[in-house]
Amino acid sequence: MHAPAQVKEADSPAVRLSQVAITFALKGGGTYQAVRDIDLTVGASEFVAIVGPTGCGKSTLLNAAAGLLKPSAGGADIFGERLSGLNARAGYLFQQDALMPWKTAIDNVAVALEPKGVPRAEALARGREWLGRVGLAAFADRYPHMLSGGQRKRVALAQMLIRNPQILLMDEPFGPLDAQTRQIMGNLLLDLWAQDRKAVMFVTHDLEEAIALADRVVVMSAGPAARIVGDYPVSLPRPRDIAEIRLDPAFHAIHKAIWATLRVEVQKAYAQGEGANA
Amino acid sequence: MRRTTLLAMQVGVGLAFLLVWHLLTAVPVSGGKPLFDPFFFSTPLDVLARTWKDLVSGELWYHLGITLTETVLAFTFGAIGGIAFGFLFARREILASVFDPYIKAANALPRVVLAPIFALWFGLGIWSKVALGFTLVFFIVFFNVYQGVREVSPVVLANARMLGMNERQLLRHVYWPAALTWMFSSLHTSVGFALVGAVVGEYLGSSAGLGYKIHEAESVFDVTGVFSGMLVLAVFVIVIDTFVTAIEKRLTVWQPGTGAATAQG
């Protein structure tokens, strides 16, 4: 367990990306610049959603904050400290299934405490508690393939949160789920988040989801060399219900404003043929 | 199809085969002789009678025991070696690159040519057969474990790393189970090859085992003895395979498609 954020840290944002550029070497020579000139700050208890057209490098940005990718220029500061290697203070929720398929739900959650040196019996007890919080107490002994897509996401959520990370990085986590399950998962996420308000970077291509969840929506341009082209505060009251907030007139006003920016980029991406591949 | 219907049909095919064999070799046609000479083809009843005789006399159990011992030893050592080297090579890319041509060459070599060498080195007892089986099992397990460790899902791996796992924990929770999966997927093949190594080794030079028994019968043109040996071998293989399937079912309970319930919604 990390010690509570100290006073000095409280002044520093959870994540600060400064002048980040990320370039990939392509097979057969040449390079591809995914993102450039990225300046992005996420406060210690701020929920930031990042939207943009398909293939604009949203996930790349998340990987830079996670330490899974090293920026080719600029850098990431985590609570004021320059990140080198993996970001030990962050939890990551992947779009794809990332659970260990050979472990049951409870083992998948409990194993997340092993790197912290928590004894197995205690880890299992806390794992059961977390499975309960995500509504899967009765499914502890199921293997991932015996769970539905939504249930697997719940396990992954519990696996991430049990470590009590101060930063949550989420890469279109509810993307593969059906519409109703997405809403349920969105509300579950907001409930859990409201309890201790971690810093969140939430990548999605669904603008409505972004507005419903976040305090701020950041819009990225079409790739390659995507930049941030918009940064909108979402001043909707909390607690929110994902399904109901969409009917709020204020929601529509925000949606309209952001969509004006996003639409241009989506069209650009589509014209480049990026719209065809996910 | 229902299980019982399927089983009945499976048994039916076997009986039909035996019946045709019997009609061709044991039923006299014109001239008082059967269509096929039993000297060359034996008859099903003779084969069964011979097998029964060997079973009752206890001689067969001795040879079966020898072959089983060789199979189990060859599989155990081959699997241990294959897992160890598969792991090592998958985690140390440089080793894999350097040894790649030699491993391919060694694997391409027909193992039968090694049998006399092994007999020379390890004698005519069980160890030369174990060595032959080892060379077969080792490569199957090696390639599968190597593949398994290298093809661990990058997402599962990234997730485990983000959970803070160190190299040892990754090994235990990610690489090891992934490698075992691949090893189990080749379990039938590798157990089968362990048996092949044992029998071929016995056939080429020994004083005990099923392969020896078949060879002995062949050398005196005892076709009934050869078929009896083959029958025992076939039943033996099916029993071992059933055993392997049972183990596999237990160990791969987490994999989809093993008959476990899948939740919806």
Side-chain angles (χ1 to χ4, degrees):
Chain A
M1 305 279 294
H2 287 289
Q6 284 156 22
V7 182
K8 189 185 121 247
E9 284 189 351
D11 303 334
S12 311
V15 180
R16 184 201 296 277
L17 302 176
S18 28
Q19 285 299 303
V20 166
I22 294 169
T23 306
F24 295 105
L26 294 175
K27 273 181 195 165
T31 55
Y32 176 85
Q33 189 173 42
V35 297
R36 66 176 168 94
D37 300 336
I38 301 286
D39 284 302
L40 179 63
T41 303
V42 181
S45 56
E46 194 179 22
F47 197 130
V48 175
I50 302 167
V51 296
T54 304
C56 74
K58 305 184 290 274
S59 307
T60 309
L61 218 54
L62 218 52
N63 288 339
L68 288 168
L69 262 181
K70 198 173 155 41
S72 359
D77 294 301
I78 305 302
F79 289 105
E81 267 177 55
R82 182 49 59 106
L83 181 64
S84 65
L86 285 181
N87 185 347
R89 294 176 147 195
Y92 201 123
L93 194 56
F94 290 83
Q95 179 179 9
Q96 305 97 320
D97 280 329
L99 296 175
M100 285 157 262
W102 38 81
K103 288 188 187 295
T104 56
I106 179 67
D107 280 338
N108 259 295
V109 177
V111 80
L113 288 176
E114 193 182 304
K116 289 181 179 283
V118 177
R120 175 126 178 103
E122 190 195 331
L124 282 173
R126 281 166 63 185
R128 283 189 196 282
E129 188 193 321
W130 266 104
L131 279 181
R133 282 200 220 180
V134 297
L136 285 182
F139 296 86
D141 295 322
R142 298 261 188 121
Y143 288 93
H145 84 271
M146 302 168 175
L147 299 170
S148 68
Q151 290 169 332
R152 286 201 289 269
K153 279 288 177 258
R154 286 163 187 263
V155 177
L157 199 58
Q159 188 189 51
M160 173 178 75
L161 293 175
I162 196 173
R163 297 175 59 240
N164 195 27
Q166 288 149 303
I167 304 165
L168 310 181
L169 306 171
M170 306 196 204
D171 182 13
E172 301 196 36
F174 310 142
L177 307 177
D178 63 80
Q180 279 109 41
T181 312
R182 283 176 81 140
Q183 283 186 0
I184 293 168
M185 290 300 294
N187 280 332
L188 174 67
L189 174 62
L190 281 188
D191 281 349
L192 293 171
W193 177 74
Q195 290 167 16
D196 49 7
R197 301 228 170 181
K198 311 282 179 54
V200 180
M201 279 175 83
F202 188 100
V203 163
T204 177
H205 59 253
D206 181 346
L207 179 55
E208 291 196 15
E209 184 179 61
I211 299 170
L213 290 171
D215 295 322
R216 241 170 83 208
V217 176
V218 171
V219 182
M220 289 185 68
S221 74
R227 312 161 280 121
I228 291 175
V229 290
D231 194 334
Y232 300 84
V234 178
S235 50
L236 298 168
R238 293 188 189 270
R240 302 177 189 165
D241 180 282
I242 302 274
E244 280 164 22
I245 196 121
R246 290 172 205 230
L247 309 172
D248 194 312
F251 182 95
H252 285 281
I254 296 167
H255 189 280
K256 201 174 164 188
I258 303 179
W259 179 240
T261 309
L262 183 56
R263 187 178 59 184
V264 180
E265 301 302 330
V266 170
Q267 281 169 347
K268 255 190 247 166
Y270 193 75
Q272 289 166 3
E274 294 287 345
N277 54 57
Chain B
M1 200 183 303
R2 284 222 327 274
R3 236 183 117 82
T4 45
T5 324
L6 184 64
L7 192 67
M9 289 171 81
Q10 284 171 338
V11 171
V13 169
L15 287 179
F17 173 77
L18 289 177
L19 184 67
V20 171
W21 184 10
H22 179 75
L23 289 176
L24 290 175
T25 55
V27 178
V29 285
S30 58
K33 279 173 129 185
L35 207 55
F36 287 10
D37 190 338
F39 178 78
F40 295 110
F41 295 95
S42 190
T43 72
L45 290 176
D46 284 352
V47 171
L48 287 176
R50 173 74 67 90
T51 310
W52 179 249
K53 198 191 97 196
D54 288 348
L55 272 175
V56 174
S57 74
E59 190 199 341
L60 198 55
W61 298 110
Y62 166 69
H63 291 293
L64 263 178
I66 296 283
T67 304
L68 182 63
T69 310
E70 289 162 357
T71 305
V72 169
L73 287 174
F75 174 76
T76 309
F77 290 133
I80 292 173
I83 290 173
F85 278 89
F87 246 99
L88 187 67
F89 278 42
R91 301 294 290 147
R92 297 280 175 272
E93 203 53 41
I94 179 76
L95 278 178
S97 311
V98 171
F99 281 93
D100 180 62
Y102 298 103
I103 287 173
K104 279 192 180 134
N107 186 37
L109 196 70
R111 296 324 128 71
V112 176
V113 303
L114 290 174
I117 298 281
F118 286 151
L120 205 60
W121 290 349
F122 303 113
L124 291 173
I126 65 166
W127 291 106
S128 58
K129 287 80 196 170
V130 172
L132 194 60
F134 173 88
T135 62
L136 291 162
V137 172
F138 172 82
F139 284 100
I140 299 169
V141 175
F142 169 81
F143 284 120
N144 274 289
V145 169
Y146 178 70
Q147 192 89 345
V149 172
R150 281 173 47 111
E151 290 190 2
V152 167
S153 154
V155 181
V156 171
L157 196 57
N159 188 48
R161 290 177 63 208
M162 285 307 294
L163 293 177
M165 289 192 191
N166 59 28
E167 190 70 9
R168 194 180 54 80
Q169 288 159 339
L170 286 179
L171 208 64
R172 176 162 160 222
H173 295 297
V174 181
Y175 289 116
W176 177 248
L180 282 192
T181 316
W182 280 70
M183 202 205 99
F184 291 137
S185 72
S186 63
L187 206 58
H188 288 275
T189 324
S190 45
V191 169
F193 270 108
L195 181 65
V196 166
V199 172
V200 169
E202 290 163 358
Y203 187 86
L204 292 176
S206 71
S207 52
L210 283 177
Y212 162 77
K213 246 186 96 59
I214 292 174
H215 184 250
E216 193 191 35
E218 272 177 5
S219 60
V220 295
F221 300 107
D222 174 13
V223 176
T224 307
V226 174
F227 283 170
S228 167
M230 284 164 59
L231 175 70
V232 173
L233 199 56
V235 173
F236 187 54
V237 169
I238 289 177
V239 170
I240 286 190
D241 201 66
T242 314
F243 193 60
V244 170
T245 306
I247 294 178
E248 200 180 21
K249 270 212 176 117
R250 271 197 64 82
L251 292 172
T252 57
V253 63
W254 58 269
Q255 280 178 325
T258 46
T262 304
Q264 295 294 320

